[in-house]
């Protein structure tokens, strides 16, 4: 309760609404006519059946309270106003710029106008930047604080602060994103529940934190990327791994604050379970016994999903796949969340980085520890010492679950994935962008290149030599696999003979450039070189000969 009050008070001060705590309007208003609403009733009319405050003025809709795809007239009107304000502002900026730009304006003469998705009639409303912009604070300042209101379509609740998993309680993580995530009911999923991620809410997630930055143009582009990934997931058969996603309006109030949310959000099916980070390192009253953790990874872990997750992460060039973005369920199933850091859409300097894929820094950190792989300095000036125990995440190595006697995946993929890869490889990047809806051809080209490498040269070749590619200091050699755990007193050890190499590539592991520190580089080899392939290395195509077909 203290934290909640602190957030509310900080929100009040931030917006300069000194009059928020005071008398409230006696007439029940529509949510669109409240700057805050402490209790919002679902439905187009007040719960007592009265007309409330002018339904014509407030706007109405005949949609049911659980329908996520109908655009309320009040929201539709506000979006139209948003777009008008956006275009007017841009026009005024252009006029002022043309008056004072001088030589710069003359240099730009002859160039075409800057593309504006708001003006493009072919851009659907869910990809318009104005769909993700809140009401202006100046508009809301004149509205009253409502004790109660009506017109909401969604009863938003915060994601449960705790989750019970294997009879242990875990505190839910807030995550690194500044966006707010809520749970609500929907008719778009079989369970009737969904999670909605809302951008641009002007309320900080942490006490003392800053409100999130709001760039609707960027958000709309990310939404297009995520829906493209959802289309790809359906085509390639990854829907059991990737939560379904869709875009739809949100009309509700922020729980505990009352701030009206009446713009579009990213909707996802609700995923049961806890993050792998939570499962391995946290828990109340204590971390689960080592025996329980070992049983999960040795016996319950869905091995088929591990293999397919490794395929998805390499295919889509995932760059942020760590333990917080892997959800574990009690039956051992995995779910992959927060998948937007992909295909070099946002992180241009990252080829791929996933605990599930060999040659990556994140997998090497699991094996040898962050301080060692990051080449951090020590107080004594001596080199860092790697970890010698076994992190359970080592068992997320797809090689452990290939058909018996097979050490490489090669080009032997599950049938639906194989068909999908061939389909992508057969198209041009422009065709890939059109089929899946990617925001630009460059991103679609990265998918096309990766799929082509994976289907023609094999998984391992694509991970070692394919593109998008990491900088040499971030390209690690293939390590021996560890496929089972045993308990060694108070920690884990690999359950079979296992001897990893402790060598690291030369260079700066943070920026991927040459070593620039005032101490010797602990690296010993040029990243991206693989002795098992000989001198020809990446010029040799793997044909998958001798590989067993996928079961």
């Amino acid at each position: 309760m203290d934290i909640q009050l602190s957030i509310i008070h900080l929100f009040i001060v931030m917006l300069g609404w000194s009059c928020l705590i005071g008398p409230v309007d006696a007439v029940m208003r529509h949510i669109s006519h409240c700057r805050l609403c402490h209790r919002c009733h679902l439905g187009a009319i007040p719960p007592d059946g009265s007309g409330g405050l002018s339904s014509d003025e407030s706007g109405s809709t005949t949609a049911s309270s659980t329908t996520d795809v109908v655009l309320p007239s009040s929201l539709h009107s506000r979006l139209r106003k948003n777009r008008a304000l956006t275009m007017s502002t841009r026009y005024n900026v252009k006029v002022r710029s043309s008056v004072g730009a001088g030589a710069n304006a003359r240099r730009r003469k002859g160039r075409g106008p800057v593309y504006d998705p708001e003006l493009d009639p072919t851009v659907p409303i869910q990809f318009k930047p104005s769909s993700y912009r809140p009401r202006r604070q100046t508009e809301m300042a004149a509205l009253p604080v409502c004790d109660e209101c009506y017109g909401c379509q969604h009863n938003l609740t915060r994601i449960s602060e705790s989750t019970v998993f294997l009879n242990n309680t875990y505190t839910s993580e807030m995550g690194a994103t500044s966006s707010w995530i809520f749970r609500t009911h929907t008719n778009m999923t079989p369970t009737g529940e969904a999670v909605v991620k809302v951008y641009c809410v002007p309320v900080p997630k942490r006490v003392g934190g800053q409100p999130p930055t709001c760039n609707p143009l960027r958000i709309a582009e990310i939404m297009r990327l995520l829906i493209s990934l959802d289309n790809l997931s359906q085509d390639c058969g990854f829907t059991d791994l990737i939560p379904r996603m869709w875009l739809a309006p949100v009309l509700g109030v922020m729980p505990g604050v009352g701030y009206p949310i009446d713009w579009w959000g990213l909707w996802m099916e609700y995923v049961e379970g806890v993050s792998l980070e939570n499962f391995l390192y946290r828990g109340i009253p204590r971390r689960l016994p080592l025996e329980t953790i070992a049983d999960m990874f040795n016996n319950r872990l869905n091995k088929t999903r591990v293999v397919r997750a490794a395929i998805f992460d390499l295919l889509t060039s995932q760059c942020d796949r760590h333990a917080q973005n892997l959800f574990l369920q009690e039956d051992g199933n995995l779910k992959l969340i927060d998948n937007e850091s992909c295909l070099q859409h946002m992180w241009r300097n990252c080829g791929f980085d996933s605990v599930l894929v060999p040659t990556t820094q994140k997998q090497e950190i699991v094996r040898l520890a962050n301080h060692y792989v990051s080449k951090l300095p020590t107080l004594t000036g001596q080199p860092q010492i790697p970890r010698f125990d076994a992190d359970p995440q080592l068992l997320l190595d797809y090689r452990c679950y290939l058909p018996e006697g097979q050490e490489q995946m090669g080009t032997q993929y599950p049938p639906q994935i194989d068909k999908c890869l061939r389909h992508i490889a057969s198209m041009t990047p422009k065709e890939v962008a059109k089929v899946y809806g990617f925001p630009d051809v460059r991103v679609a080209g990265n998918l096309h290149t990766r799929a082509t490498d994976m289907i023609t040269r094999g998984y391992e070749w694509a991970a070692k030599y394919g593109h998008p590619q990491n900088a040499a200091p971030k390209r690690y050699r293939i390590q021996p696999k560890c496929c089972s755990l045993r308990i060694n007193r108070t920690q884990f050890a690999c359950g079979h003979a296992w001897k990893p190499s402790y060598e690291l590539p030369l260079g700066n592991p943070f920026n991927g450039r040459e070593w620039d520190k005032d101490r010797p580089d602990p690296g010993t080899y040029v990243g991206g070189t693989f002795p098992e392939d000989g001198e020809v290395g990446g010029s040799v195509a793997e044909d998958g000969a001798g590989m067993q077909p996928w079961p």
Side-chain angles (χ1 to χ4, degrees):
M1 178 60 72
D2 291 339
I3 292 179
Q4 187 182 60
L5 289 175
S6 297
I7 291 176
I8 295 172
H9 289 162
L10 189 130
F11 178 53
I12 293 171
V13 172
M14 176 189 68
L15 294 178
W17 293 343
S18 59
C19 61
L20 288 186
I21 303 175
V24 295
D25 199 359
V27 179
M28 185 174 292
R29 291 171 170 260
H30 189 273
I31 179 62
S32 62
H33 285 256
C34 302
R35 67 170 176 242
L36 288 185
C37 179
H38 300 303
R39 182 186 180 193
C40 187
H41 296 277
L42 300 179
I45 60 175
D48 60 3
S50 65
L53 181 66
S54 178
S55 62
D56 290 337
E57 180 179 303
S58 298
S60 61
T61 175
T62 58
S64 81
S65 62
T66 58
T67 301
D68 301 321
V69 293
V70 175
L71 194 64
S73 59
S74 58
L75 177 56
H76 189 270
S77 299
R78 193 181 66 74
L79 289 175
R80 283 205 309 265
K81 185 186 295 185
N82 258 351
R83 283 195 287 277
L85 286 170
T86 299
M87 290 184 282
S88 174
T89 301
R90 289 177 184 173
Y91 173 77
N92 290 335
V93 169
K94 288 176 183 176
V95 169
R96 289 194 299 269
S97 299
S98 64
V99 171
N104 288 334
R106 287 193 294 273
R107 280 197 296 268
R108 288 196 299 268
K109 189 176 181 180
R111 294 186 184 181
V114 177
Y115 173 72
D116 188 343
E118 292 292 346
L119 303 176
D120 189 342
T122 66
V123 176
I125 187 172
Q126 65 266 32
F127 299 133
K128 298 280 190 184
S130 56
S131 295
Y132 300 93
R133 182 179 292 110
R135 281 186 279 177
R136 293 171 180 265
Q137 294 176 19
T138 52
E139 293 179 25
M140 299 180 70
L143 298 176
V145 176
C146 302
D147 185 34
E148 291 186 78
C149 62
Y150 72 96
C152 283
Q153 287 192 359
H154 308 108
N155 181 25
L156 304 178
T157 60
R158 293 185 184 178
I159 295 294
S160 177
E161 294 183 358
S162 63
T163 302
V164 177
F165 185 86
L166 295 179
N167 298 319
N168 214 35
T169 301
Y170 294 87
T171 302
S172 300
E173 299 144 316
M174 294 192 72
T177 177
S178 60
S179 304
W180 283 90
I181 301 177
F182 304 104
R183 188 173 178 176
T184 188
H185 294 289
T186 178
N187 61 4
M188 297 288 286
T189 64
T191 63
E193 291 186 297
V195 170
V196 59
K197 188 174 187 178
V198 184
Y199 299 79
C200 289
V201 179
V203 182
K205 289 177 67 174
R206 295 168 177 82
V207 176
Q210 295 294 320
T213 57
C214 182
N215 185 344
L217 184 65
R218 182 64 168 161
I219 293 168
E221 187 178 347
I222 294 173
M223 295 304 98
R224 188 183 288 272
L225 174 72
L226 287 171
I227 296 305
S228 301
L229 282 182
D230 188 70
N231 295 335
L232 176 70
S233 173
Q234 295 181 63
D235 191 26
C236 293
F238 293 118
T239 52
D240 59 334
L241 280 170
I242 313 300
R244 287 297 314 277
M245 295 177 287
W246 67 98
L247 303 175
V250 183
L251 188 53
V253 296
M254 185 173 180
V257 176
Y259 187 84
I261 296 175
D262 57 352
W263 57 97
W264 287 63
L266 173 67
W267 293 72
M268 298 163 278
E269 62 178 324
Y270 180 75
V271 176
E272 298 285 353
V274 297
S275 74
L276 200 56
E277 174 89 9
N278 243 343
F279 175 71
L280 289 175
Y281 307 117
R282 294 179 174 83
I284 301 172
R286 61 186 65 85
R287 180 188 182 190
L288 283 169
L290 297 184
E291 291 81 3
T292 303
I293 296 175
D295 176 66
M296 173 62 75
F297 281 87
N298 285 334
N299 303 315
R300 295 196 194 187
L301 188 65
N302 188 319
K303 300 170 176 55
T304 300
R305 287 200 183 181
V306 171
V307 177
R308 295 171 64 255
I311 296 172
F312 177 83
D313 274 10
L314 181 60
L315 173 63
T316 58
S317 302
Q318 290 292 325
C319 275
D320 198 30
R321 182 72 66 221
H322 48 75
Q324 284 191 10
N325 290 339
L326 274 164
F327 250 60
L328 181 66
Q329 300 177 319
E330 289 191 352
D331 57 3
N333 282 326
L334 292 175
K335 290 281 189 177
L336 308 181
I337 65 170
D338 291 347
N339 300 302
E340 61 262 37
S341 301
C342 67
L343 295 169
Q344 291 191 327
H345 177 256
M346 294 191 294
W347 297 357
R348 300 277 181 108
N349 294 325
C350 175
F352 57 100
D353 198 4
S354 166
V355 295
L356 296 157
V357 184
T359 75
T360 67
Q361 190 173 91
K362 282 184 170 59
Q363 192 179 83
E364 206 66 4
I365 286 173
V366 166
R367 197 181 328 274
L368 303 178
N370 180 65
H371 64 270
Y372 186 78
V373 174
S374 299
K375 304 179 182 178
L376 298 178
T378 62
L379 295 176
T380 63
Q382 298 298 312
Q384 289 282 359
I385 298 175
R387 69 184 302 169
F388 295 105
D389 63 324
D391 189 308
Q393 293 177 81
L394 289 170
L395 272 65
L396 297 176
D397 191 328
Y398 74 91
R399 296 173 297 171
C400 295
Y401 314 117
L402 297 175
E404 187 175 354
Q406 187 168 313
E407 293 297 320
Q408 296 187 9
M409 191 183 308
T411 57
Q412 301 300 310
Y413 303 105
Q416 187 173 354
I417 295 176
D418 182 274
K419 180 181 179 180
C420 182
L421 293 177
R422 294 181 187 278
H423 181 220
I424 296 170
S426 70
M427 295 186 283
T428 65
K430 285 186 178 180
E431 291 170 334
V432 172
K434 182 177 180 180
V435 167
Y436 295 110
F438 283 105
D440 61 69
V441 176
R442 179 187 62 82
V443 171
N446 287 335
L447 177 65
H448 175 266
T449 299
R450 182 75 78 207
T452 302
D453 286 344
M454 290 174 68
I455 201 64
T456 59
R457 300 193 170 198
Y459 186 92
E460 288 72 24
W461 191 97
K464 291 177 181 178
Y465 306 110
H467 290 268
Q469 188 177 91
N470 290 312
K474 296 185 177 185
R475 295 174 65 194
Y476 298 83
R477 288 178 175 172
I478 302 290
Q479 291 268 23
K481 61 186 179 183
C482 174
C483 299
S484 65
L485 295 174
R486 64 178 176 86
I487 299 172
N488 182 19
R489 296 183 180 179
T490 59
Q491 58 187 13
F492 292 109
C494 191
H496 54 79
W498 179 62
K499 190 177 181 180
S501 168
Y502 299 107
E503 290 187 297
L504 296 173
L506 295 162
N508 188 319
F510 291 99
N511 58 26
R513 299 173 182 172
E514 293 184 357
W515 184 252
D516 54 358
K517 307 301 178 184
D518 58 357
R519 57 187 187 277
D521 185 351
T524 58
Y525 66 87
V526 176
T529 58
F530 301 93
E532 65 270 21
D533 294 336
E535 294 183 1
V536 290
S539 63
V540 177
E542 297 178 359
D543 59 7
M547 302 296 179
Q548 298 181 29
W550 191 265

